[in-house]
Amino acid sequence: MKCAFFASPRLVLSDQVSGRVFARYPVEEGDEFSVTFRHSVNKSNVTEIYEVRSGGIVLTGCVYYDFGAGVAEVLDPGWELTIGENGEMILSGIEMPMNDLTYIVGTVYDHIMTLHGEEIILNDLCGRNSKVHFSIHG
């Protein structure tokens, strides 16, 4: 029998180098979270959207405001690009499993994770230039 404390999976943020755990957040299958940061080349905000799925993390979409190195300019099959009310480019249908999701936070602009409607400033949580690894446990 499982202990109730470990009954639901957790989104775990840890230091990629040392393995030190910064935080654990309860999640359920189908929960979404996002990470927003300022693009280092075009200096506009980018939001990457993820879903908790089958015990892992899947990149499902991206919102950006300008093109630049590292920003999708050609759509893969199944991807859809729409323009939002404020001119943002909304890329959906990505469906890319992220087996090694890591961000180096706070290099050009802070990284902000949004989970369950709460904004978590990763620079405050993990420290500037931390290599933060995201994974699902439990």
Side-chain angles (χ1 to χ4, degrees):
M1 182 157 96
K2 275 187 162 180
C3 175
F5 180 74
F6 295 106
S8 74
R10 304 271 188 236
L11 172 61
V12 178
L13 278 58
S14 60
D15 186 289
Q16 185 181 38
V17 177
S18 71
R20 181 178 137 230
V21 173
F22 296 118
R24 292 179 180 90
Y25 301 96
V27 291
E28 295 181 14
E29 182 77 10
D31 279 356
E32 286 188 347
F33 70 94
S34 64
V35 177
T36 301
F37 57 93
R38 185 169 303 262
H39 193 279
S40 61
V41 175
N42 65 33
K43 307 295 187 212
S44 65
N45 285 350
V46 174
T47 299
E48 296 178 329
I49 303 161
Y50 302 94
E51 184 177 317
V52 175
R53 193 181 303 160
S54 301
I57 298 170
V58 177
L59 175 65
T60 60
C62 183
V63 178
Y64 50 100
Y65 295 85
D66 203 354
F67 289 106
V71 176
E73 295 181 9
V74 177
L75 301 181
D76 284 358
W79 294 11
E80 183 179 342
L81 180 65
T82 56
I83 305 300
E85 292 179 12
N86 298 313
E88 67 272 24
M89 293 170 271
I90 304 165
L91 187 57
S92 59
I94 298 175
E95 302 300 316
M96 182 183 301
M98 302 301 294
N99 299 323
D100 189 22
L101 178 59
T102 301
Y103 284 94
I104 301 173
V105 302
T107 54
V108 173
Y109 175 76
D110 205 357
H111 288 66
I112 300 168
M113 181 177 77
T114 302
L115 174 66
H116 303 304
E118 178 185 352
E119 288 189 348
I120 299 141
I121 300 172
L122 297 183
N123 197 26
D124 291 348
L125 177 68
C126 309
R128 186 172 182 79
N129 295 321
S130 294
K131 292 181 180 178
V132 181
H133 183 258
F134 290 66
S135 57
I136 303 296
H137 293 272

